[in-house]
Amino acid sequence: MSEVTRFAPSPTGLLHVGGVRTALFAWLVAKQTDGKFILRLEDTDQAREVSGADQHIMDSLQWLGLQWDEGPFRQSDRLAIYKEWADKLIEAGRAYTDPYTQSELDELREKAKVEKKPFLFRNHRPENPPKWDGKQPLRFLSDPKVYKWDDAVMGKMSSGPEAIDDFILIKSDGYPTYNFAHIVDDYLMGVTYVIRSQEFVSSIPRFLDLYEALKITRPILATLPVVLGPDGKKKLSKRDGAKDILDYAKDGYLPDAMFNFLVTLGWNDGTTQEIYTRDEILKKFDMARVQRSGAKFDEQRLTWMNGHYIRNLSIEKLFKLSKDYWPSEASKFDDDYKKAVLSLVQERLKFLAEIPELTKLFFTDLPVDKSLIKTNKKLADIEQATLSGLLKSSRGALSDSDFSVEDLSNRLNQLLTDTYQSPAILFSLIRIATTWAPASPGLAESLHVLGKETTLRRLDRSIEQF
Ligand code: GLU
């Protein structure tokens, strides 16, 4: 059966990892069943709205490739519809005007607290509520009883009458509450499969009550467990260093890697496989295999996965993606040179924002940093004069190389024999002297890309320093 799913964020902030995972699962269910994925912006809480959040949400979804088939709908455009449905409930005797002022309500709440009883609005239903004029809140006349339902992830669920109360349908500002509006919208938009995060699970009995009052067949309900912080205890928060999704995009995480990471955040196919193509995911994803307990957000795993995706890119593709990440010094160099540099660092590159740090040495002579010798265990105790002598021999051996990788490798190996040194000493020294970095890609490959002129110039400069 084709399922209609939706992502229904409130534009009250930036889209974070947990939110976008909900969208991804909803998108997957729709695509897997040849159904529809709807985007609905639930902008009924005017006070909490953050300007620009709606655009941020849409940009995030599009970056990840989660294109919606319908929408974006905005609840603020649909106030007349909620009013119409509120009238239906009034007519059916299932909604009434809340006559209380804020201070009267506070008093009732306070009294319940003193009596150590839970406050339930339905215990204070007014006897003759005034006709609803839109200035006071409109409340649902609930039916407190046992509710049972099947959750596509959580399994069999039930709740008792204590979970039910007369909640607000329409606020005094004329906007509907989430509890009311989403039910009406899901119905009118033909949503068959509702996927949302765990924070709503305690409200589901109220939704079931409302479905019954409106005589609406309830959709399939699926509750996703929360995304936990790296300690696996608390819900993931900004403090755990979790960035919003477009920050990862800016840092040069690839949408395919993020897609793969998010889908395996709380789901697996029963094997230990971690890397899946989008097609594989579309074939294998199954809501019934989403784990019921919280899924731990592990940024290192995301970064590892991203490195995997980067290593599998062709150089042409990687070069295209790297456009905005080059250090300023690179502007003087041509595309072929940059591609050669990229193929050297591709193996180690985990996200594109690392490009400047990893490639700078190929574009500019960095200041000579002698501390790299001091901190290298093998080199630290060798006399400066010896080091300088080794560099001179190296310069001599390299000065008539054609600088092909093969010739460089041969000469470097010959140098080991001639100087009676180990690679750990000689190659580290040459590496430091030519790249001023403690580590770099293969030495012959690096020197090949740097070219003869730069290599010899850097060697000369280093020899001078010792
Ligand atoms: N507007 C709700 C939120 O952003 C949506 C919950 C739902 O998907 O029904 O949390």
Side-chain angles (χ1 to χ4, degrees):
M1 189 186 130
S2 287
E3 303 291 0
V4 179
T5 65
R6 58 19 170 221
F7 181 50
S10 308
T12 53
L14 306 180
L15 198 52
H16 54 82
V17 179
V20 87
R21 186 191 60 162
T22 306
L24 171 58
F25 284 14
W27 181 88
L28 277 172
V29 169
K31 294 298 127 182
Q32 281 185 316
T33 59
D34 240 342
K36 260 188 319 193
F37 173 61
I38 295 175
L39 176 61
R40 183 172 73 225
L41 298 166
E42 304 208 315
D43 57 346
T44 57
D45 195 343
Q46 299 248 290
R48 287 182 52 226
E49 199 160 324
V50 171
S51 97
D54 49 358
Q55 193 55 47
H56 182 273
I57 289 166
M58 291 190 273
D59 291 346
S60 304
L61 295 179
Q62 275 169 330
W63 176 74
L64 206 56
L66 308 184
Q67 188 55 51
W68 48 95
D69 304 300
E70 277 180 21
F73 296 102
R74 278 172 201 277
Q75 289 188 323
S76 58
D77 291 337
R78 300 168 57 81
L79 299 186
I81 297 174
Y82 310 121
K83 165 91 179 26
E84 205 180 293
W85 283 73
D87 286 337
K88 284 191 201 190
L89 284 170
I90 296 173
E91 236 160 79
R94 295 298 303 268
Y96 63 91
T97 306
D98 172 346
Y100 297 107
T101 62
Q102 191 55 48
S103 62
E104 283 168 336
L105 261 185
D106 290 345
E107 219 170 280
L108 292 173
R109 279 213 173 83
E110 194 49 41
K111 196 160 156 259
K113 209 164 138 194
V114 173
E115 290 168 4
K116 296 207 164 57
K117 284 196 218 137
F119 173 76
L120 286 170
F121 197 94
R122 60 179 160 83
N123 292 337
H124 306 280
R125 284 177 185 159
E127 262 167 42
N128 288 308
K131 194 169 162 343
W132 187 53
D133 61 1
K135 294 197 179 85
Q136 285 287 104
L138 184 71
R139 276 192 191 261
F140 180 49
L141 191 114
S142 63
D143 183 7
K145 58 177 188 184
V146 170
Y147 288 89
K148 293 198 165 119
W149 72 101
D150 265 323
D151 187 290
V153 174
M154 300 293 173
K156 292 213 173 311
M157 310 279 280
S158 68
S159 65
E162 69 288 345
I164 298 293
D165 197 10
D166 292 358
F167 59 85
I168 294 180
L169 299 164
I170 308 256
K171 298 174 281 182
S172 54
D173 64 4
Y175 282 82
T177 55
Y178 163 72
N179 290 345
F180 179 45
H182 89 273
I183 301 256
V184 171
D185 283 343
D186 284 345
Y187 173 69
L188 293 177
M189 294 173 189
V191 172
T192 59
Y193 204 128
V194 169
I195 299 165
R196 69 188 138 208
S197 69
Q198 199 168 1
E199 59 189 296
F200 296 98
V201 74
S202 60
S203 304
I204 288 182
R206 300 172 179 209
F207 305 156
L208 301 183
D209 191 358
L210 193 49
Y211 285 127
E212 287 183 9
L214 291 170
K215 302 194 170 44
I216 289 176
T217 321
R218 64 170 90 142
I220 298 172
L221 303 173
T223 299
L224 300 181
V226 284
V227 178
L228 299 169
D231 67 355
K233 289 189 187 115
K234 292 182 305 299
K235 199 174 146 188
L236 179 70
S237 76
K238 276 260 150 70
R239 253 169 298 148
D240 298 313
K243 291 177 279 204
D244 76 71
I245 224 72
L246 289 184
D247 275 336
Y248 286 107
K250 256 183 246 135
D251 281 348
Y253 284 77
L254 308 185
D256 282 346
M258 183 58 91
F259 190 100
N260 190 155
F261 171 74
L262 288 174
V263 84
T264 51
L265 199 56
W267 172 83
N268 64 65
D269 68 354
T271 70
T272 52
Q273 185 173 342
E274 292 194 79
I275 304 285
Y276 298 90
T277 63
R278 286 191 193 230
D279 282 344
E280 266 179 295
I281 293 168
L282 275 166
K283 276 202 202 92
K284 293 187 170 177
F285 180 77
D286 178 1
M287 202 54 107
R289 286 205 57 91
V290 171
Q291 71 190 43
R292 292 182 184 177
S293 55
K296 201 164 77 178
F297 173 79
D298 179 353
E299 194 176 66
Q300 278 178 2
R301 185 163 171 272
L302 168 61
T303 303
W304 163 79
M305 226 176 232
N306 202 56
H308 170 88
Y309 277 86
I310 287 182
R311 283 194 294 284
N312 281 295
L313 293 174
S314 69
I315 277 298
E316 290 304 324
K317 187 84 210 281
L318 178 57
F319 179 64
K320 252 198 203 136
L321 294 174
S322 66
K323 191 164 68 47
D324 298 329
Y325 294 92
W326 292 106
S328 53
E329 295 86 349
S331 60
K332 299 189 288 290
F333 292 80
D334 65 18
D335 290 359
D336 284 339
Y337 184 75
K338 287 187 197 157
K339 284 180 202 169
V341 169
L342 271 184
S343 44
L344 280 183
V345 299
Q346 182 171 19
E347 189 64 26
R348 283 199 298 149
L349 190 61
K350 291 186 297 304
F351 50 93
L352 302 177
E354 288 183 324
I355 287 180
E357 190 197 317
L358 291 180
T359 66
K360 210 166 171 184
L361 66 99
F362 292 100
F363 301 109
T364 182
D365 291 355
L366 301 171
V368 175
D369 179 0
K370 279 195 178 174
S371 72
L372 291 175
I373 301 277
K374 299 251 153 41
T375 52
N376 182 306
K377 272 201 219 92
K378 297 264 163 135
L379 299 178
D381 298 331
I382 301 179
E383 298 223 357
Q384 298 251 336
T386 313
L387 294 177
S388 160
L390 283 174
L391 284 178
K392 279 186 193 140
S393 316
S394 307
R395 194 203 188 279
L398 297 180
S399 62
D400 39 55
S401 169
D402 62 7
F403 267 69
S404 64
V405 174
E406 197 191 357
D407 186 62
L408 284 166
S409 307
N410 290 340
R411 280 169 197 266
L412 288 168
N413 286 331
Q414 187 58 42
L415 259 174
L416 290 177
T417 319
D418 296 348
T419 58
Y420 303 102
Q421 294 296 344
S422 65
I425 291 180
L426 187 69
F427 291 177
S428 300
L429 178 64
I430 300 176
R431 188 192 303 282
I432 290 174
T434 53
T435 66
W436 296 105
S440 66
L443 186 56
E445 287 81 359
S446 300
L447 298 184
H448 166 71
V449 171
L450 282 172
K452 189 165 186 168
E453 195 196 318
T454 304
T455 302
L456 297 184
R457 182 180 69 244
R458 290 186 185 180
L459 280 172
D460 286 340
R461 209 170 54 132
S462 302
I463 291 166
E464 247 168 59
Q465 303 277 325
F466 290 116

